[in-house]
Amino acid sequence: MLTFDDVLEEVGGFGLYQKITFFFVCLPSAVFSYLYVGFVFLAVTPDHWCRSPGVTELRDKCNWSLEQEKNYTLPVGQSGSSSYSQCEKYDVDWNSSSGSCENPLLFIWNGSQDLPLITCQDGWVFENDSISSIVTEFELVCADSWKLDLSQACLNLGFTLGTVIMGYAADRFGRKLSFLFATFVTSVLGLVVPFLPNYSWFLIFRTLQGLFSKGSWVCAYVFITELVGLQYRRTVGVLYQVCYSSGMMILSSVAYFIPDWRNLQLATTIPSFFFLTYYWLIPESPRWMLSQKKNTEALSVIQQMAKRNGKSFSNKIEIVEERSEDLDRPSFVELVRTPQMRKHTFILMFNWFAITLVYQGLIMRLGTLGGNIYLDFFISGAVEIPAAILILLTIERIGRRLPFAAGGLLSGGTCLIAAFIPEMCSSLCDIGGIAAPFIVYRLSGIWKGLPLLVLGVIGLIVGGLVLLLPETKGLTLPDSIEDVENLKRPKKKILKTHHQQSVLYSTDVKDPASVKMVVEG
C-alpha cells in the first residue's frame, strides 16, 4: 500500500517537471517582496520645513541661499540642536513685512527672543531634488505622520485576512485557480494605486493589495510543497523564501533607478500580469484533485510528471471513501484545552507575532537611518540567503528548537548592542522577523536607538520561549491532542486517518493487487 508521497518518489520526487514548475512559482515570490517590505521606498521622508507665503519672493529679492532662508525665517528644532523645526514656523506675515534682507526678524520683532510659533498651516516645503514618495505626495509628516504607520498596518491587516480567506479558497476551488485569481486582482489593484488622488483611497487599495497578494503567495507555497516528494518539501519551502530574498535584492536596484513612488509601483506591478500565463504553464495540485474526487485529472498530471522526469507510470484509479461519522472534527478550543497543547499554542502564537514584528521593524528602520537606503536594503536581502542555507544544513543535524531559539536570542542581542553603538553596521540586526511601523517610526522620533531596544527585548523573549517547546527531530509528528500531551515519549508510527483513499492498481507489475496508493483527502 503506497501513499501519494510514495507515488511521487516513483515518478520523481523532485525531477525536471517539479524543478521547472518550481522556477515558475518562485518568480511571484520574488515580486511579492515589493508589497511586503517595499514600504521602505514608498515612505521615504526627505528633509522638510513649513511653507511660509512670501518667503520665496523675499529670498529672490534678497538673493538668499537656501541655508540663509532657513536661518532667517525658521525656528530652531525643539531639541535645541542646529537643525530647524519641521513642524512649526514663526507667526509672521512675510508678504506684508518690511524687514531687511540682513536679518528681517530683528526689525519685525525689535529683537525680542520670544517669537510666537504656529503649526504649518500652509503645508510644507520638501528639499530640492527629494524623492517623490507617499510622504511628499500626501504630506504625511508632523501631526499626520501617524497616517504613514496606518498605511503599513492596513497592509498587514490585509495579509492577515488574505491568509484566512484565500486559504479557504485554495481548499475549496483549488490551489492554481485561487493563485491566478489573487494574482489578477493584485495586479489590477497595483495598476490603479499610482493614479489614486488622495490618502484615503490609497489606504483602501493598500489594504486590498495586502489581502490578495498574501493569498497568492500562500497558494503558490502550498501548491509547490504538495508537488514534490516528502524529503524535498523542507528544501523547497526554504528555497521559496530565498526567492523572496532575491526579490529584495533586485528591488533595491529597481528602486535606485526608478525612485519616484508612482513609477516604482508601475514597474513592480506590470510584470505580475505575466503570471497569468501560468494557467497554461503549471498544473493543478494532483493531491488536491484527488481530495476532490477528480481522479482522472490527477492521474493525468502524475503521468505527465513521470514522462517529463523520464519515469514510467501507468495506473488505473479507484476511490474508497471512509465514513465521515468516524472522523473527529476538532475545534479551536482543542488548541487550549490541554496543558501541553495550550503551552505550545501560546508560545507559537507569540513567536509568530514577535518574529513578524522584529523582521519588518528592522527592514523599515533602514528608512530612518539616513544612510544609503538602497545599499542597506540590498544587504538586508542578501544576508537572508546564507541564513537559509544554514537552516538547511543544520535543521536535521541539531533539530528545530535550538536554531529557532538561537535566531531569537541572536537577533535580540544584536539589536540591543546596536541600540547603544550607533556606528555599528545597520544590517547587523537584519536577521530578524516582521515589524510594526508604529514602533519604528514613532519611537525613532524619541530616540533613534529606542526601536532597536524594544525589538531586542522581544527577540530575547522569543529565543527563551522556544526553549520551552519540545524538540521534534526524529519524532513522528502528533496526529491527536493525546499525542501532543505525550510528545516526549517515543511512539510508533501511527496510521493516519484519511477522509478518502485513492487506490491505484499498477499495470506494470506482475501482481496488480499488491500495488495500491492511499492518498490523504
Side-chain angles (χ1 to χ4, degrees):
M1 186 171 286
L2 301 175
T3 65
F4 180 65
D5 292 318
D6 295 329
V7 173
L8 280 178
E9 291 306 312
E10 286 191 7
V11 301
F14 193 47
L16 180 61
Y17 186 91
Q18 287 97 328
K19 290 175 182 176
I20 294 175
T21 305
F22 177 69
F23 170 76
F24 286 134
V25 172
C26 275
L27 297 180
S29 180
V31 174
F32 178 66
S33 63
Y34 169 72
L35 272 172
Y36 203 60
V37 290
F39 186 71
V40 172
F41 302 113
L42 286 180
V44 172
T45 305
D47 187 22
H48 55 278
W49 54 92
C50 294
R51 183 185 304 278
S52 298
V55 167
T56 301
E57 291 76 8
L58 187 59
R59 182 184 67 183
D60 294 338
K61 170 188 172 183
C62 297
N63 198 25
W64 287 340
S65 65
L66 180 59
E67 192 61 30
Q68 286 176 315
E69 175 192 335
K70 293 180 181 179
N71 188 42
Y72 291 149
T73 63
L74 294 177
V76 177
Q78 293 181 353
S79 61
S81 64
S82 59
S83 61
Y84 301 100
S85 174
Q86 296 180 322
C87 302
E88 293 180 317
K89 65 177 181 178
Y90 293 121
D91 187 11
V92 174
D93 184 2
W94 295 100
N95 285 314
S96 60
S97 66
S98 58
S100 94
C101 292
E102 295 300 325
N103 198 336
L105 290 177
L106 289 178
F107 287 88
I108 295 173
W109 293 100
N110 298 319
S112 172
Q113 297 300 314
D114 298 325
L115 301 177
L117 302 177
I118 58 174
T119 57
C120 302
Q121 301 172 349
D122 299 297
W124 286 263
V125 176
F126 295 91
E127 65 179 341
N128 294 333
D129 301 323
S130 61
I131 297 174
S132 175
S133 67
I134 61 173
V135 174
T136 62
E137 188 82 17
F138 305 125
E139 296 189 337
L140 304 181
V141 293
C142 298
D144 287 334
S145 59
W146 63 273
K147 294 181 179 179
L148 185 65
D149 311 341
L150 181 62
S151 66
Q152 184 66 6
C154 286
L155 177 71
N156 282 278
L157 175 62
F159 288 160
T160 303
L161 297 176
T163 301
V164 176
I165 296 174
M166 295 307 301
Y168 169 79
D171 288 338
R172 179 69 177 83
F173 304 105
R175 285 50 166 140
K176 176 181 174 180
L177 185 60
S178 299
F179 164 77
L180 292 173
F181 173 75
T183 299
F184 173 75
V185 176
T186 302
S187 301
V188 172
L189 291 172
L191 283 183
V192 175
V193 167
F195 305 101
L196 297 176
N198 54 53
Y199 171 79
S200 298
W201 280 110
F202 176 83
L203 196 66
I204 294 172
F205 275 73
R206 187 78 169 161
T207 305
L208 293 175
Q209 274 194 302
L211 192 154
F212 289 100
S213 63
K214 186 62 178 292
S216 173
W217 192 88
V218 170
C219 289
Y221 177 82
V222 172
F223 164 75
I224 195 59
T225 54
E226 289 183 340
L227 201 64
V228 301
L230 182 62
Q231 70 269 35
Y232 297 104
R233 287 180 193 162
R234 179 180 61 254
T235 301
V236 164
V238 173
L239 292 180
Y240 187 70
Q241 180 68 27
V242 169
C243 295
Y244 160 83
S245 303
S246 301
M248 287 182 60
M249 299 166 63
I250 297 173
L251 176 60
S252 64
S253 301
V254 175
Y256 177 81
F257 290 104
I258 310 177
D260 180 90
W261 80 272
R262 294 182 183 274
N263 294 332
L264 180 61
Q265 175 73 28
L266 289 173
T268 54
T269 297
I270 292 175
S272 297
F273 284 95
F274 164 76
F275 304 140
L276 299 179
T277 63
Y278 287 9
Y279 179 84
W280 299 278
L281 297 178
I282 66 174
E284 178 56 88
S285 168
R287 187 185 296 270
W288 177 83
M289 288 192 291
L290 287 168
S291 72
Q292 301 296 309
K293 303 180 184 179
K294 299 182 178 182
N295 307 325
T296 303
E297 295 91 332
L299 183 59
S300 176
V301 173
I302 294 173
Q303 290 172 335
Q304 292 176 21
M305 194 183 304
K307 181 179 180 181
R308 180 63 63 89
N309 293 342
K311 306 287 185 179
S312 60
F313 189 80
S314 177
N315 292 41
K316 297 195 248 182
I317 190 166
E318 177 184 341
I319 301 294
V320 179
E321 294 187 67
E322 290 187 353
R323 304 177 118 199
S324 59
E325 305 92 82
D326 300 331
L327 300 175
D328 295 331
R329 296 188 179 278
S331 66
F332 178 80
V333 177
E334 300 295 334
L335 294 175
V336 294
R337 185 172 59 83
T338 58
Q340 291 298 320
M341 195 69 178
R342 184 163 54 246
K343 182 181 76 171
H344 298 168
T345 297
F346 286 146
I347 290 176
L348 291 174
M349 286 176 65
F350 174 79
N351 282 7
W352 273 110
F353 162 79
I355 290 171
T356 299
L357 173 68
V358 175
Y359 177 76
Q360 197 169 346
L362 291 171
I363 296 294
M364 289 182 184
R365 183 175 176 270
L366 298 177
T368 67
L369 296 179
N372 189 327
I373 188 175
Y374 306 103
L375 178 60
D376 290 344
F377 194 86
F378 177 88
I379 295 174
S380 298
V383 297
E384 293 184 8
I385 296 178
I389 296 175
L390 185 62
I391 291 174
L392 289 175
L393 295 177
T394 60
I395 195 170
E396 286 301 324
R397 290 175 172 81
I398 63 177
R400 281 75 166 161
R401 185 175 63 169
L402 289 180
F404 194 173
L409 294 172
L410 182 60
S411 62
T414 50
C415 282
L416 291 177
I417 294 173
F420 296 100
I421 308 179
E423 296 81 7
M424 182 172 291
C425 176
S426 64
S427 63
L428 177 64
C429 294
D430 291 337
I431 58 176
I434 288 185
F438 290 99
I439 288 181
V440 176
Y441 293 113
R442 295 314 109 221
L443 295 186
S444 63
I446 301 173
W447 172 45
K448 288 288 186 182
L450 190 54
L452 285 177
L453 189 63
V454 174
L455 298 177
V457 171
I458 293 175
L460 293 177
I461 294 174
V462 168
L465 289 177
V466 170
L467 296 176
L468 300 177
L469 296 174
E471 176 56 68
T472 59
K473 178 178 178 288
L475 296 179
T476 302
L477 295 181
D479 300 316
S480 65
I481 301 298
E482 182 181 358
D483 293 338
V484 173
E485 296 299 312
N486 302 302
L487 189 59
K488 293 184 179 179
R489 303 176 186 174
K491 68 191 189 96
K492 297 179 181 179
K493 186 175 181 179
I494 302 175
L495 182 63
K496 293 185 177 180
T497 301
H498 304 285
H499 290 271
Q500 61 178 215
Q501 297 176 324
S502 300
V503 184
L504 292 163
Y505 296 93
S506 174
T507 59
D508 296 335
V509 295
K510 296 180 179 179
D511 184 9
S514 65
V515 181
K516 299 179 181 179
M517 179 178 74
V518 181
V519 180
E520 284 188 49

